[in-house]
Structure formats: structure tokens, C-alpha cells
Amino acid sequence: MSEQSVEEGNGRSSSWLRRIWNTTSVPVGAVLLAALIGAAILAISGANPLDAYAALIKGSFGDSAAVGRTLEKATPLIFSGLAVAFAFKAGLFNIGAQGQLLVGAIVAAYVGFSIEGLPAIIHAPLALIAGAAAGAIYGAFPGALKTYTGANEVITTIMLNYVAINLTDYLADGPWKDTTPGNVVARTPKIFDSAAIPFVGDIPIGFFIALLMAVITWWLLYKTTIGFEIRTVGLNPHAAKYAGIKVAFTVILTMTLSGLLAGMGGSIETQGIVGRYQPGFNANLGFDGITVALLGKTHPFGVIPAALLIGAMKAGSSQMQFSADVAKEITDVIMAFILFFVAADMIIRWILRTRAAEGEKITLSTGWGK
Amino acid sequence: METTTSIPIWKRIWDRLGILGAIIILVLIGIVVSFIQNQQVTTAVLSSTIRQSTPLVLGALCGLIGERTGIINIGIEGQMLMAAFIGYLANVYIGQLGVFSVGMTLFLAALIGIATGALLGLLLAFMSVTLKMDQIIGGTVINILAIGITGYFYQVGLTTQGKLQPIALGRLADIPLVGPVLFDNPPITYITLILVVVVHYMLFYTRWGLRSRAVGEYPSAADTVGINVYLMRYVNTTIAGGFAGLAGVFLTLEAVGSFERLMTNGRGFVALAVMIFGKWTPFGAWGAALLFGFATAMQTQFQFMGNLTIPHQFIGMLPYLLTIVVLAGFVGRSRPPAAEGIPYEKE
């Protein structure tokens, strides 16, 4: 106690710096330690860690095209990360971001290729909103099931992921299949240019939409009554009910908005990157959202650097595979250790002798939707 | 005594078994009817049901042993994947030594795979008990780690000397329908059926089981009567990891015979669903896994029959939709162990 008051007496600038140090030391330390472990694994398996990391960094930040690639990879992860983090705030574990994202992606594609002649200013937002709405409906479903039948959202969202995979496969290989002569693969036609979300130079505009959504999510969670109710339900549904919060409504709303975020991520992937829906192109974006949300400590602003970090590793891993001949799965190993060290922050705090910032400890798992 | 005899016997059976008993009877009647109509298909579907359900039951047992003690395990997928991989590599390299017979090689490989799962269980216990890390993060770490390590060290073109073969249990295997389905299986399938009973007995009829459940429901009370909460959680999560390991080994040493990247294909997550579906009981999980396995088997059967007017993707949805329908319609709310997910702080 006394030590703390002395520090505060040192003036504002030093306590400000200390606060930054306190919040950034753990993630930075975690990345460094994880990179060291990754290097050890690379060295043991006969690769040169320095070459591998040099290629990884070059591929993700080396030039403006590489930075663009990093942002491109990070964009859907921001959305799926926000989706999972948002549901966590209400104590819900949305493993179904993957399915919601797929449904959003294919519906955005449908609006993109089926409507011709609209001006871009209407068409692109229309496709984006359609995809987001599809994701929202797909997310609302497990929320409603939980509320009205008690079916656990962990199970139903897992199951709905597989349903979404089958459904989108069917659409892309059936009624919505690309009928261009010569096409044999399952995919939708290319969307019209008017529905595309363009790039500014190397930077996808979708990235800015993602940032905007992070701000909106933060605002909704921390500056509105609904956000307060969502967080209260997450902390203690019984107390929330006692306080007059409509828990059932809040659960459905949270899952709907979570699905909306994931669906929007799918839309942006279709409209900004792929240009159509093709099965397999969006694999794991939703699951990676779980990692992003956890790495970002389930805070909307934590999700952004987490998505950038994972996006950078994804962007650079091809370069690493190509020029250093290192299998790109090593980035998964590094990612696992980053997550480990961020969550087990006591290890790094012990090494660096820093103290935890107020209320920084994260707890999500108080059981399956109690 | 007077009152007991006055209740008709059918009512007593109904009270005892309830709706579950009715469903079981209906299912049995359904099986008999379909067997009379088409022997071959019925046998094939039911055998496939057992095969499909085996890794799910094992994964669910892993999950429920951990959760009964208060540790959420969403890393079952990773434990299975890693065990499948290491077990496979062990089969390959022990086989190359040429010292052991094929059977012995497979046995050793299976043990190594189980140990791999257990080791990851130990890691989960270390993260959640000692480091008091969030347990969902702990499980996610295991999942990503397993994807990374198995992917990074994956090699193509490895060969083995074989996989685990079915063992027919003498005369029992000759019984129509029941024989080929239940008594002509490879070893891990038998072991799984035994394990369901063993875990049920251990959990509900032994001192260990009572202590485990106490730790999962009310750790501070368990602590005051002298149960070592930390040790209990460590031991159980490690043992549970062995079950997931066995599930992984089932894939590479019994079902498929080789390793592919990401070959668990979400089975660990489905196992999690099966565990919740079965309300954290071994028999419940077994039933849920059989239901899921049956739907998967039907799906394969439909595809096999061909010339269907329904697109195959809709049949592919069947197991998942069925699970949702049954869960929403019949099972409803389930209550997890009270203390799960919360790191225990000794006072």
C-alpha cells in the first residue's frame, strides 16, 4: 500500500508510463518468450530460427504489400474475435462464430452476384448488411433455443457450425453455383464490382469497418444500458434477474449481436478479399476468433492488437515456408505459447517484477451457461 | 409392504425408467423390425454406430471426469489430435525396430498415445490448478498447440505394419445382429464399453468418486473434511487425459490406421456436446454418443444407397440437426458441477 502511494506521488507522467508498462509488459513479454520457445523448436528440428523469423517478419511487415496482407488477414479475425468476446461478456460461449461467419459470407455473395445495376454506394452496404443479418439470425437461433428450451449454447453452436458447412456447401454446389463455362468446383459466381469493398492502396477498407465495429461494440458494452445489462447477466444471471433485467431477452440479444459481428466478418471476407463464396476459403476464421478474443482479454480494444498479431503471423507464414523452408504450423505453436503466457501472466510478472493492473485478471469459465 | 405391492408392476418400472426406458424400448423394437426387413443394412448401420460413437464416448468420459472435479476441458480435441499423432509415430518407429510383433507394437504405441493424452491432461491441471489460469484459455492453448505441433512435425509417406484388428468373441459373435455389432470388434471398442461401466461405478459407488464429485461441487467443504482439492484435480484431469488419448489412438491405430493433419475433425468438440447432452454421466454420454453415431451411420448409409433425390449435404446435416432437436425437445436444461471453472483458493 505505502509503496503504491509513493509511486503516485512521483508525478503524473511517471505513473502514466508505469501504467503503460504494466499493461503492455505482459503481452510483449509473452510474445518474446513464445518466440524463444518457437526458436528452440525450430533449432531442434534442424531449421534456422533467425532465417525463419526474418522471413516471417518480412512477409508480414516487410513492405506496404506485406502490411496490407497482414491487415487483410487481421480483418475477419477482428470480427470473429469481437463476436466471441461480446458473447463472453454475457457469460455465453459462442463456439458458433464459424457457422455465423460462413452464413454471412455466402449471403453477402448472393446479394453481390444476383443483383445487377445498383450503384456501389447502395450495393456494397446492402450486401454487407445482408450478410450481417444472416449471421445475426443464425446467432439468434441458439440464443432462442437456450432461452426457451434450455439447450446449452455450447452444444447447439457446435452443431450449427456443421449445419452451416453443409448448407453453404449445398448452396455453392447447387442453386447458387457458378455456371460459368468450364467451372467444375463448388463456388458462387463472382460478385459485381458494385458490391465489392475496395482497397485504398494496399489497405483493405474492410479493416477500417472492423475498427469502427470494435468502437461500436465497446460503446455498446460500456456506455449503454443494454451493455450494462449484458455484462450484469454475464457476471451473475440470478442477480440480474433479481434486479429486474430480462435475462431471456438479453441472452437472445447477445447471441444475435454476436452472430451479427461474425456474419459481418463473413460479408467483408466475401466482398473485400475473395470476391465470391467458395467452400473452404473461410475455414477456421471463426475458431480463430476464440483465440483472438481470449488473447485480447475479451475486451473490444484488446481484440484489435490480438487480431493484428495473429493476422501478421498468418500473413508471414507463407513467406517463411517459401524462403526459409519452415512448415507454417510453427506459427500455431508460437500462438499457443503467446496465449499461455498472456493468461499465465504471473510467470511474466514474476520475471519482470511488475504488478497487475486493477481488475485485469480474466475469468470466463464459470461453467457452461449457468 | 402393503403399499409397495398395491402399485402395479408396470407402474413401478415406469417410475424407475420413465421416458428414457420408453425410448430404449421403442429403439429396440425399431431395430428388430428393421432387422427383419433388411438384415445386412441393419447390421452395417449398427456396427457403424458403435464405431462412430467410440471416440465420442471416450472424449466425453475425459470431459466429465475433469468437470466432475471442477476442471472444464475444452482441450479434448487437442488431446485427441496429439495422442493420435504420437501414437501413430510410435507405431511407425517401434515397428521399424523390428523387435516386437505387430500386436505388441500396436499395444506399445497405444500406451504411448494414452500417455500423451494424460500428459496434456497434466498440463491442463498445471495451468488451471497451479497457475490458476482461466480454464477455457487453458483448453484453447492445448488445442492450438496440438494443431501446431502435429502440423509442424507431420511427415508424409510413413508406413506401419498394420492396425488393430477385430477380435470375435467365440460363440457370442455368431448371434445374428448382436454378434457382429457387439462381439466382433477391435480392442479399443471393447475397452470403451467396459470403461463406460467402470467410470460409472467409480464415480458413483466408490470413495474416489464421492470425493471427486465433492471437489467439483463444493471444494471448500471437501477441503475442510481433509480432501486434497489440488491433488484430486491434478490426478483426475491427468487420468481423464488418458481417455482422450485413447480416443486419439482409436483413430490412428484402430479406425483409420494412419495420421492426417487435423484428422480429429471436431470430434473433441462433439464429445464435449455429448458430455453435456448426457448430463455429465457416463451412461448419459454413452447414449448421446450412440445417438450421434447412429445419425452419422445413417448418413453414410444414405449416401451409400445412392440415387437419392435429397442433396447429400442435407443428409450430412442429419447428426447435427438430430442432436439439436433431441437436446431442445427432450433433454432441456442440464446442470453442470457447481464449482467447475473456478480455481480453488485455499483459505
mmCIF file of all heavy atoms in Angstrom, chain A residues 70-94:
data_model
loop_
_atom_site.group_PDB
_atom_site.id
_atom_site.type_symbol
_atom_site.label_atom_id
_atom_site.label_comp_id
_atom_site.label_asym_id
_atom_site.label_seq_id
_atom_site.Cartn_x
_atom_site.Cartn_y
_atom_site.Cartn_z
ATOM 1 N N THR A 70 -1.160 -8.328 -43.960
ATOM 2 C CA THR A 70 -1.408 -8.501 -42.528
ATOM 3 C C THR A 70 -2.786 -7.949 -42.145
ATOM 4 O O THR A 70 -3.563 -8.615 -41.443
ATOM 5 C CB THR A 70 -0.310 -7.802 -41.708
ATOM 6 O OG1 THR A 70 0.929 -8.460 -41.957
ATOM 7 C CG2 THR A 70 -0.609 -7.859 -40.230
ATOM 8 N N LEU A 71 -3.090 -6.741 -42.634
ATOM 9 C CA LEU A 71 -4.386 -6.137 -42.313
ATOM 10 C C LEU A 71 -5.520 -6.961 -42.898
ATOM 11 O O LEU A 71 -6.575 -7.136 -42.293
ATOM 12 C CB LEU A 71 -4.454 -4.701 -42.838
ATOM 13 C CG LEU A 71 -3.436 -3.728 -42.233
ATOM 14 C CD1 LEU A 71 -3.624 -2.340 -42.817
ATOM 15 C CD2 LEU A 71 -3.559 -3.684 -40.722
ATOM 16 N N GLU A 72 -5.273 -7.491 -44.089
ATOM 17 C CA GLU A 72 -6.266 -8.316 -44.767
ATOM 18 C C GLU A 72 -6.582 -9.569 -43.946
ATOM 19 O O GLU A 72 -7.742 -9.958 -43.805
ATOM 20 C CB GLU A 72 -5.670 -8.685 -46.122
ATOM 21 C CG GLU A 72 -6.564 -9.407 -47.065
ATOM 22 C CD GLU A 72 -5.777 -9.755 -48.334
ATOM 23 O OE1 GLU A 72 -5.131 -8.851 -48.916
ATOM 24 O OE2 GLU A 72 -5.805 -10.926 -48.726
ATOM 25 N N LYS A 73 -5.528 -10.185 -43.408
ATOM 26 C CA LYS A 73 -5.730 -11.391 -42.594
ATOM 27 C C LYS A 73 -6.345 -11.042 -41.247
ATOM 28 O O LYS A 73 -7.071 -11.840 -40.657
ATOM 29 C CB LYS A 73 -4.386 -12.104 -42.358
ATOM 30 C CG LYS A 73 -3.700 -12.594 -43.608
ATOM 31 C CD LYS A 73 -4.311 -13.873 -44.105
ATOM 32 C CE LYS A 73 -3.557 -14.394 -45.309
ATOM 33 N NZ LYS A 73 -4.323 -15.385 -46.052
ATOM 34 N N ALA A 74 -6.009 -9.855 -40.741
ATOM 35 C CA ALA A 74 -6.483 -9.489 -39.406
ATOM 36 C C ALA A 74 -7.964 -9.106 -39.420
ATOM 37 O O ALA A 74 -8.663 -9.294 -38.420
ATOM 38 C CB ALA A 74 -5.654 -8.331 -38.854
ATOM 39 N N THR A 75 -8.436 -8.571 -40.566
ATOM 40 C CA THR A 75 -9.796 -8.035 -40.610
ATOM 41 C C THR A 75 -10.883 -9.045 -40.191
ATOM 42 O O THR A 75 -11.640 -8.763 -39.264
ATOM 43 C CB THR A 75 -10.089 -7.472 -42.011
ATOM 44 O OG1 THR A 75 -9.104 -6.475 -42.289
ATOM 45 C CG2 THR A 75 -11.468 -6.858 -42.083
ATOM 46 N N PRO A 76 -10.961 -10.227 -40.821
ATOM 47 C CA PRO A 76 -12.009 -11.153 -40.378
ATOM 48 C C PRO A 76 -11.810 -11.610 -38.932
ATOM 49 O O PRO A 76 -12.779 -11.905 -38.236
ATOM 50 C CB PRO A 76 -11.894 -12.332 -41.345
ATOM 51 C CG PRO A 76 -10.527 -12.241 -41.901
ATOM 52 C CD PRO A 76 -10.182 -10.787 -41.938
ATOM 53 N N LEU A 77 -10.540 -11.640 -38.499
ATOM 54 C CA LEU A 77 -10.268 -12.079 -37.130
ATOM 55 C C LEU A 77 -10.771 -11.061 -36.111
ATOM 56 O O LEU A 77 -11.185 -11.414 -35.016
ATOM 57 C CB LEU A 77 -8.764 -12.317 -36.930
ATOM 58 C CG LEU A 77 -8.167 -13.421 -37.792
ATOM 59 C CD1 LEU A 77 -6.663 -13.533 -37.552
ATOM 60 C CD2 LEU A 77 -8.837 -14.743 -37.485
ATOM 61 N N ILE A 78 -10.718 -9.770 -36.474
ATOM 62 C CA ILE A 78 -11.275 -8.757 -35.578
ATOM 63 C C ILE A 78 -12.762 -9.029 -35.392
ATOM 64 O O ILE A 78 -13.281 -9.024 -34.275
ATOM 65 C CB ILE A 78 -11.050 -7.331 -36.128
ATOM 66 C CG1 ILE A 78 -9.556 -7.005 -36.165
ATOM 67 C CG2 ILE A 78 -11.778 -6.299 -35.256
ATOM 68 C CD1 ILE A 78 -9.228 -5.642 -36.727
ATOM 69 N N PHE A 79 -13.433 -9.307 -36.503
ATOM 70 C CA PHE A 79 -14.874 -9.559 -36.417
ATOM 71 C C PHE A 79 -15.184 -10.805 -35.594
ATOM 72 O O PHE A 79 -16.012 -10.764 -34.673
ATOM 73 C CB PHE A 79 -15.478 -9.699 -37.817
ATOM 74 C CG PHE A 79 -15.716 -8.391 -38.490
ATOM 75 C CD1 PHE A 79 -14.851 -7.932 -39.465
ATOM 76 C CD2 PHE A 79 -16.801 -7.599 -38.139
ATOM 77 C CE1 PHE A 79 -15.058 -6.718 -40.082
ATOM 78 C CE2 PHE A 79 -17.016 -6.387 -38.753
ATOM 79 C CZ PHE A 79 -16.144 -5.937 -39.724
ATOM 80 N N SER A 80 -14.525 -11.917 -35.922
ATOM 81 C CA SER A 80 -14.862 -13.143 -35.190
ATOM 82 C C SER A 80 -14.412 -13.021 -33.736
ATOM 83 O O SER A 80 -15.081 -13.535 -32.833
ATOM 84 C CB SER A 80 -14.259 -14.375 -35.863
ATOM 85 O OG SER A 80 -12.870 -14.256 -35.992
ATOM 86 N N GLY A 81 -13.304 -12.309 -33.504
ATOM 87 C CA GLY A 81 -12.846 -12.084 -32.135
ATOM 88 C C GLY A 81 -13.850 -11.248 -31.356
ATOM 89 O O GLY A 81 -14.181 -11.553 -30.205
ATOM 90 N N LEU A 82 -14.366 -10.196 -31.991
ATOM 91 C CA LEU A 82 -15.380 -9.360 -31.346
ATOM 92 C C LEU A 82 -16.629 -10.183 -31.039
ATOM 93 O O LEU A 82 -17.227 -10.057 -29.963
ATOM 94 C CB LEU A 82 -15.772 -8.181 -32.245
ATOM 95 C CG LEU A 82 -14.815 -6.998 -32.329
ATOM 96 C CD1 LEU A 82 -15.297 -6.007 -33.372
ATOM 97 C CD2 LEU A 82 -14.671 -6.312 -30.980
ATOM 98 N N ALA A 83 -17.008 -11.031 -31.997
ATOM 99 C CA ALA A 83 -18.211 -11.852 -31.815
ATOM 100 C C ALA A 83 -18.081 -12.729 -30.573
ATOM 101 O O ALA A 83 -18.979 -12.774 -29.728
ATOM 102 C CB ALA A 83 -18.459 -12.712 -33.056
ATOM 103 N N VAL A 84 -16.943 -13.424 -30.470
ATOM 104 C CA VAL A 84 -16.749 -14.326 -29.332
ATOM 105 C C VAL A 84 -16.622 -13.532 -28.028
ATOM 106 O O VAL A 84 -17.234 -13.878 -27.010
ATOM 107 C CB VAL A 84 -15.503 -15.213 -29.559
ATOM 108 C CG1 VAL A 84 -15.251 -16.105 -28.356
ATOM 109 C CG2 VAL A 84 -15.669 -16.056 -30.809
ATOM 110 N N ALA A 85 -15.867 -12.426 -28.075
ATOM 111 C CA ALA A 85 -15.662 -11.616 -26.875
ATOM 112 C C ALA A 85 -16.986 -11.038 -26.383
ATOM 113 O O ALA A 85 -17.270 -11.013 -25.185
ATOM 114 C CB ALA A 85 -14.669 -10.496 -27.170
ATOM 115 N N PHE A 86 -17.804 -10.581 -27.330
ATOM 116 C CA PHE A 86 -19.091 -9.976 -26.981
ATOM 117 C C PHE A 86 -19.977 -10.988 -26.248
ATOM 118 O O PHE A 86 -20.576 -10.679 -25.213
ATOM 119 C CB PHE A 86 -19.778 -9.480 -28.252
ATOM 120 C CG PHE A 86 -21.021 -8.692 -28.006
ATOM 121 C CD1 PHE A 86 -20.945 -7.396 -27.542
ATOM 122 C CD2 PHE A 86 -22.261 -9.251 -28.226
ATOM 123 C CE1 PHE A 86 -22.089 -6.659 -27.307
ATOM 124 C CE2 PHE A 86 -23.414 -8.522 -27.990
ATOM 125 C CZ PHE A 86 -23.327 -7.219 -27.524
ATOM 126 N N ALA A 87 -20.037 -12.220 -26.778
ATOM 127 C CA ALA A 87 -20.857 -13.249 -26.133
ATOM 128 C C ALA A 87 -20.307 -13.600 -24.749
ATOM 129 O O ALA A 87 -21.073 -13.815 -23.814
ATOM 130 C CB ALA A 87 -20.930 -14.497 -27.016
ATOM 131 N N PHE A 88 -18.985 -13.623 -24.642
ATOM 132 C CA PHE A 88 -18.356 -13.898 -23.346
ATOM 133 C C PHE A 88 -18.838 -12.914 -22.282
ATOM 134 O O PHE A 88 -18.989 -13.261 -21.117
ATOM 135 C CB PHE A 88 -16.836 -13.790 -23.443
ATOM 136 C CG PHE A 88 -16.149 -15.103 -23.711
ATOM 137 C CD1 PHE A 88 -15.084 -15.173 -24.595
ATOM 138 C CD2 PHE A 88 -16.537 -16.266 -23.057
ATOM 139 C CE1 PHE A 88 -14.432 -16.374 -24.843
ATOM 140 C CE2 PHE A 88 -15.896 -17.469 -23.290
ATOM 141 C CZ PHE A 88 -14.845 -17.521 -24.185
ATOM 142 N N LYS A 89 -19.064 -11.665 -22.697
ATOM 143 C CA LYS A 89 -19.454 -10.641 -21.734
ATOM 144 C C LYS A 89 -20.778 -10.980 -21.073
ATOM 145 O O LYS A 89 -21.043 -10.572 -19.949
ATOM 146 C CB LYS A 89 -19.555 -9.270 -22.421
ATOM 147 C CG LYS A 89 -18.201 -8.687 -22.790
ATOM 148 C CD LYS A 89 -17.415 -8.304 -21.552
ATOM 149 C CE LYS A 89 -16.029 -7.794 -21.938
ATOM 150 N NZ LYS A 89 -15.034 -8.057 -20.907
ATOM 151 N N ALA A 90 -21.641 -11.724 -21.786
ATOM 152 C CA ALA A 90 -22.912 -12.132 -21.192
ATOM 153 C C ALA A 90 -22.813 -13.544 -20.624
ATOM 154 O O ALA A 90 -23.822 -14.173 -20.326
ATOM 155 C CB ALA A 90 -24.026 -12.068 -22.224
ATOM 156 N N GLY A 91 -21.587 -14.044 -20.500
ATOM 157 C CA GLY A 91 -21.397 -15.383 -19.964
ATOM 158 C C GLY A 91 -21.745 -16.485 -20.941
ATOM 159 O O GLY A 91 -21.980 -17.621 -20.551
ATOM 160 N N LEU A 92 -21.798 -16.148 -22.223
ATOM 161 C CA LEU A 92 -22.145 -17.142 -23.247
ATOM 162 C C LEU A 92 -20.892 -17.498 -24.038
ATOM 163 O O LEU A 92 -20.094 -16.626 -24.373
ATOM 164 C CB LEU A 92 -23.197 -16.579 -24.196
ATOM 165 C CG LEU A 92 -24.529 -16.195 -23.560
ATOM 166 C CD1 LEU A 92 -25.336 -15.323 -24.508
ATOM 167 C CD2 LEU A 92 -25.306 -17.448 -23.204
ATOM 168 N N PHE A 93 -20.757 -18.774 -24.355
ATOM 169 C CA PHE A 93 -19.602 -19.217 -25.120
ATOM 170 C C PHE A 93 -20.075 -19.527 -26.534
ATOM 171 O O PHE A 93 -20.672 -20.557 -26.793
ATOM 172 C CB PHE A 93 -18.984 -20.453 -24.464
ATOM 173 C CG PHE A 93 -17.636 -20.804 -25.011
ATOM 174 C CD1 PHE A 93 -16.932 -19.940 -25.835
ATOM 175 C CD2 PHE A 93 -17.031 -21.999 -24.670
ATOM 176 C CE1 PHE A 93 -15.682 -20.262 -26.331
ATOM 177 C CE2 PHE A 93 -15.781 -22.339 -25.159
ATOM 178 C CZ PHE A 93 -15.111 -21.475 -25.983
ATOM 179 N N ASN A 94 -19.833 -18.587 -27.431
ATOM 180 C CA ASN A 94 -20.271 -18.751 -28.815
ATOM 181 C C ASN A 94 -19.188 -19.438 -29.631
ATOM 182 O O ASN A 94 -18.347 -18.781 -30.230
ATOM 183 C CB ASN A 94 -20.618 -17.384 -29.406
ATOM 184 C CG ASN A 94 -21.095 -17.475 -30.841
ATOM 185 O OD1 ASN A 94 -21.371 -18.563 -31.328
ATOM 186 N ND2 ASN A 94 -21.182 -16.349 -31.512
#
